[in-house]
């Protein structure tokens, strides 16, 4: 059995413990020197005074927020599910879930168990995505018992007592965020990913009565398998909300963004196409 009723606050999103509250708006560090307005589905446009205050009171190099957009003008999708209606799901997805239910045991995986059993699924997934951070060190930075957040739930699908796939879910008092989905290559044909997402949505929205489930943004990186991920999220019941992700560079660091550094980053993408940090920086620069 899985369940997501909790009393965590939005501030629990701050994995590094670094956040800043401007009036009732929350800004959280999600990367070194990068802060994002949270929750992701808050589309209010921050005033210049708010941005300047966040820069002054943090060590932020970059601020990020999202605004609603049209399908033509968006640079990303935000995947949200507010109403999980089983009758509206596609027949092939429902068949996949029914088959998977007969093969897998679904349950919450405890922190120590994650560290010991989840690496193979993590490694296989990162390699399938064409990323270079599939080593054990990168895995432990995210999923060691020490580094897992207090509000993190790991929903695992087991076959013959082996962890075939799992979702990393962040819980807040009124919504969930699916942070990542990982699966071993050997089990993909049995559709454990479909089963996991189906149960997360059904439990969170129809049983626990939370406000919504978010599956995050589509990537702003170039040359990814985003089309396949987009289709997967839609078939599971998520709505793709068109948004424009806005990135604001701290005025103190604007000197870094110039023709030379832009060319240097593009060369880096060519030389190191699997390096996720370089790809993210390139995606941000392309959307400034």
């Amino acid at each position: 059995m899985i369940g997501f009723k909790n009393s965590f606050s939005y501030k629990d999103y701050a994995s590094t413990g670094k956040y800043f509250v401007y009036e009732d708006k929350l800004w959280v560090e999600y990367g070194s020197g990068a802060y994002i307005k949270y929750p992701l589905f808050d589309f209010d446009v921050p005033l210049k005074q708010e941005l300047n205050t966040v820069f002054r009171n943090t060590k932020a190099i970059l601020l990020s927020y999202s605004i609603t957009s049209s399908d033509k003008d968006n640079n990303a999708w935000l995947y949200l599910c507010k109403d999980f209606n089983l009758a509206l799901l596609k027949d092939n997805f429902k068949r996949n879930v029914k088959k998977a239910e007969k093969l897998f045991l679904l349950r919450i995986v405890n922190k120590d168990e994650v560290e010991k059993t989840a690496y193979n699924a993590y490694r296989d997934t990162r390699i399938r995505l064409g990323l270079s951070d599939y080593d054990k060190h990168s895995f432990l930075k995210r999923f060691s018992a020490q580094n897992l957040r207090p509000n993190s739930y790991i929903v695992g699908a087991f076959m013959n007592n082996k962890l075939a796939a799992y979702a990393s879910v962040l819980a807040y008092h009124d919504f969930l965020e699916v942070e990542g989905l990982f699966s071993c290559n050997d089990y993909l044909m049995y559709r454990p990913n479909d089963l996991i997402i189906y149960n997360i949505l059904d439990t969170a929205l129809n049983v626990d009565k939370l406000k919504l489930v978010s599956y995050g943004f589509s990537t702003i990186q170039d040359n990814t398998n985003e089309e396949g991920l987009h289709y997967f999220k839609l078939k599971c019941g998520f709505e793709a909300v068109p948004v424009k992700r806005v990135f604001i560079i701290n005025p103190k660091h604007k000197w870094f963004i110039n023709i030379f550094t832009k060319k240097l980053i593009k060369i880096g993408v060519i030389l190191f196409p699997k390096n996720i940090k370089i790809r993210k920086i390139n995606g941000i620069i392309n959307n400034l």
Side-chain angles (χ1 to χ4, degrees):
M1 293 291 294
I2 61 174
F4 301 107
K5 289 185 177 179
N6 68 90
S7 58
F8 293 111
S9 71
Y10 284 178
K11 293 177 184 178
D12 289 300
Y13 179 74
S15 59
T16 62
K18 296 180 181 179
Y19 62 86
F20 181 77
V21 178
Y22 178 84
E23 296 180 350
D24 61 341
K25 302 298 182 180
L26 177 65
W27 291 84
V28 172
E29 186 179 45
Y30 68 97
S32 182
Y35 281 69
I36 191 170
K37 187 161 72 74
Y38 206 77
L40 303 182
F41 49 83
D42 177 2
F43 298 128
D44 291 343
V45 180
L47 298 176
K48 187 175 182 179
Q49 178 182 349
E50 179 177 351
L51 299 175
N52 290 338
T53 302
V54 177
F55 278 131
R56 283 199 307 270
N57 288 274
T58 68
K59 295 182 179 180
I61 300 171
L62 174 79
L63 298 183
S64 173
Y65 62 91
S66 299
I67 58 176
T68 54
S69 177
S70 68
D71 289 358
K72 295 181 179 179
D73 298 328
N74 68 314
N75 61 2
W77 303 97
L78 176 61
Y79 299 96
L80 302 176
C81 186
K82 299 179 181 180
D83 179 20
F84 190 59
N85 189 335
L86 307 183
L88 298 180
L89 298 176
K90 293 184 177 181
D91 289 340
N92 64 334
F93 178 66
K94 288 189 283 190
R95 285 195 298 269
N96 289 342
V97 171
K98 286 184 178 180
K99 291 179 181 178
E101 283 177 334
K102 299 176 183 178
L103 299 172
F104 295 100
L105 169 67
L106 212 66
R107 63 175 174 83
I108 300 296
V109 188
N110 67 56
K111 292 184 177 182
D112 290 330
E113 191 178 7
V114 172
E115 184 173 335
K116 295 176 182 177
T117 64
Y119 173 62
N120 288 345
Y122 172 88
R123 179 199 60 209
D124 287 357
T125 301
R126 302 308 276 180
I127 292 175
R128 286 199 306 271
L129 294 174
L131 301 173
S132 60
D133 61 338
Y134 55 82
D135 58 284
K136 194 67 173 287
H137 175 71
S138 297
F139 165 76
L140 291 175
K141 283 177 66 176
R142 291 181 65 175
F143 293 112
S144 69
Q146 180 180 358
N147 290 330
L148 277 172
R149 308 182 195 186
N151 62 322
S152 178
Y153 289 78
I154 303 298
V155 182
F158 290 81
M159 179 185 286
N160 299 325
N161 294 319
K162 292 185 178 180
L163 183 62
Y166 67 95
S168 174
V169 179
L170 300 177
Y172 309 89
H173 64 94
D174 59 352
F175 82 100
L176 296 183
E177 180 181 350
V178 180
E179 183 190 31
L181 183 60
F182 307 88
S183 50
C184 296
N185 292 338
D186 292 343
Y187 297 97
L188 285 177
M189 67 183 77
Y190 305 118
R191 308 292 186 177
N193 294 343
D194 294 42
L195 178 66
I196 289 173
I197 297 300
Y198 171 89
N199 277 273
I200 288 173
L201 292 175
D202 189 36
T203 302
L205 299 175
N206 296 330
V207 179
D208 293 339
K209 305 298 182 181
L210 300 185
K211 179 167 66 175
L212 61 83
V213 178
S214 167
Y215 206 152
F217 293 111
S218 60
T219 184
I220 56 171
Q221 301 170 35
D222 295 330
N223 302 319
T224 67
N225 65 339
E226 189 62 36
E227 185 176 346
L229 291 173
H230 181 79
Y231 170 77
F232 173 77
K233 294 175 183 180
L234 292 183
K235 81 167 185 177
C236 290
F238 287 93
E239 175 190 1
V241 179
V243 298
K244 182 175 178 59
R245 296 193 65 186
V246 180
F247 299 94
I248 307 295
I249 297 291
N250 189 322
K252 295 180 181 179
H253 300 282
K254 277 191 173 180
W255 61 268
F256 176 77
I257 307 301
N258 54 58
I259 295 176
F260 175 74
T261 54
K262 288 181 180 179
K263 287 184 177 180
L264 192 63
I265 292 298
K266 290 188 180 298
I267 293 172
V269 172
I270 295 172
L271 294 178
F272 307 100
K274 296 183 179 181
N275 188 297
I276 192 169
K277 290 184 179 180
I278 295 176
R279 285 166 54 165
K280 283 183 177 180
I281 293 173
N282 183 60
I284 290 170
I285 288 177
N286 289 338
N287 285 279
L288 288 175

